[in-house]
Amino acid sequence: MTATPMVLSEGVHKSFGSLEVLKGIDLAVQPGEVCCLLGPSGSGKSTFLRCINHLEKINAGRLSVDGQLVGYRQQGDKLYELREKETAAARADIGMVFQRFNLFPHMTALGNVMEAPQKVKGLSKAEARDRGRALLERVGLSDKVDAYPAQLSGGQQQRVAIARALAMQPKLMLFDEPTSALDPELVGEVLDVMRGLAADGMTMVVVTHEMMFAKDVGDTAVFMDGGVVVERGNPREVLTNPQQERTRAFLGKVL
């Protein structure tokens, strides 16, 4: 009996007006897998990530998380879009960390991490506080619980954002270029937290330009360009011995 894929994308298309950004993405990510999406800017990686939790609506195909369609229900052979409230409930199981940290500036680090579990999951303030403190400790920020975002470095803010996503106890974590807005010396501290999550068995889909991270931590590397999957495989093989000319050309520029 094979496990249900945590993410299953079948022929997913997405257009913005006349611009077709995703041109039929087929991809399965298994539970506990770290899948790294690589490729040039404009290849559709971030759009695909946003489609996984229905921040963007797909135009064709099917996307499911842990066996459940995202944002739609099926009746017969037709898909019907769910109401926002129903979609939000499903989205609560999917953590997302953005390029920009999107923290609430008027709340402390702990306040940021406590907010959603209380509002969405109905945790008591005491439970949310205990969980928040534990998660900030996990990302190496136990000394910053009372600091406001403006008092934190970019790397610290991004680690708070990861703790905030983890506070919902998601079954899937999506990372959209989580280190690209950071100064180079702060990148490592965020990647270390992500390494820890991977070691704990968290299923992760990561859009990244950090090739060493993909090589060290990824189970699968997926190279996208022009809205299609060009190549996929073991990250070490894809990065050191790519089979496709387009992958070779891209890696020749970035490695």
Side-chain angles (χ1 to χ4, degrees):
M1 176 88 179
T2 53
T4 303
M6 184 58 77
V7 179
L8 183 60
S9 173
E10 302 168 278
V12 165
H13 288 255
K14 172 66 186 175
S15 297
F16 295 102
S18 61
L19 178 68
E20 193 178 20
V21 179
L22 300 178
K23 302 172 183 174
I25 301 289
D26 293 309
L27 186 67
V29 180
Q30 301 304 326
E33 185 179 335
V34 178
C35 174
C36 294
L37 301 180
L38 313 173
S41 296
S43 57
K45 309 179 303 293
S46 292
T47 298
F48 178 61
L49 202 71
R50 292 170 67 83
C51 288
I52 293 175
N53 68 354
H54 204 62
L55 287 175
E56 299 289 355
K57 299 170 186 180
I58 63 177
N59 299 113
R62 294 163 60 90
L63 249 176
S64 52
V65 171
D66 202 18
Q68 301 290 316
L69 287 170
V70 179
Y72 299 91
R73 63 185 163 80
Q74 185 161 3
Q75 274 188 326
D77 55 1
K78 272 215 163 92
L79 293 182
Y80 296 91
E81 191 168 0
L82 296 175
R83 289 195 295 276
E84 179 55 36
K85 193 173 178 184
E86 297 169 290
T87 301
R91 204 181 277 143
D93 286 332
I94 306 171
M96 179 130 184
V97 177
F98 299 88
Q99 193 171 347
R100 297 275 165 203
F101 327 119
N102 296 354
L103 297 176
F104 298 118
H106 62 288
M107 290 184 183
T108 62
L110 184 58
N112 266 282
V113 179
M114 287 171 61
E115 177 77 357
Q118 291 181 92
K119 285 260 172 72
V120 182
K121 295 246 165 141
L123 251 66
S124 73
K125 194 167 184 179
E127 286 175 306
R129 185 184 294 116
D130 288 347
R131 186 183 291 181
R133 284 183 180 280
L135 286 167
L136 286 170
E137 185 172 344
R138 182 177 180 180
V139 300
L141 292 174
S142 51
D143 58 333
K144 299 291 185 188
V145 288
D146 296 323
Y148 287 89
Q151 299 167 311
L152 300 172
S153 72
Q156 289 169 336
Q157 289 186 60
Q158 192 60 296
R159 286 186 281 154
V160 173
I162 293 172
R164 179 177 63 179
L166 292 173
M168 295 294 284
Q169 298 182 316
K171 50 177 98 164
L172 169 67
M173 285 284 282
L174 307 176
F175 292 88
D176 189 6
E177 299 193 24
T179 58
S180 64
L182 299 178
D183 293 335
E185 70 268 23
L186 302 177
V187 167
E189 62 192 49
V190 173
L191 294 180
D192 284 346
V193 170
M194 294 170 66
R195 281 192 178 90
L197 289 179
D200 290 344
M202 173 63 77
T203 312
M204 294 157 50
V205 182
V206 184
V207 173
T208 185
H209 295 292
E210 302 291 340
M211 298 300 158
M212 287 310 295
F213 175 83
K215 205 170 179 178
D216 294 346
V217 182
D219 297 298
T220 313
V222 176
F223 176 72
M224 287 177 65
D225 189 32
V228 298
V229 172
V230 176
E231 185 164 349
R232 81 187 70 184
N234 178 297
R236 285 189 174 80
E237 287 165 20
V238 171
L239 291 171
T240 55
N241 187 25
Q243 300 304 300
Q244 302 298 321
E245 181 52 44
R246 181 66 192 94
T247 318
R248 282 199 288 274
F250 172 74
L251 293 173
K253 291 196 179 96
V254 298
L255 287 181

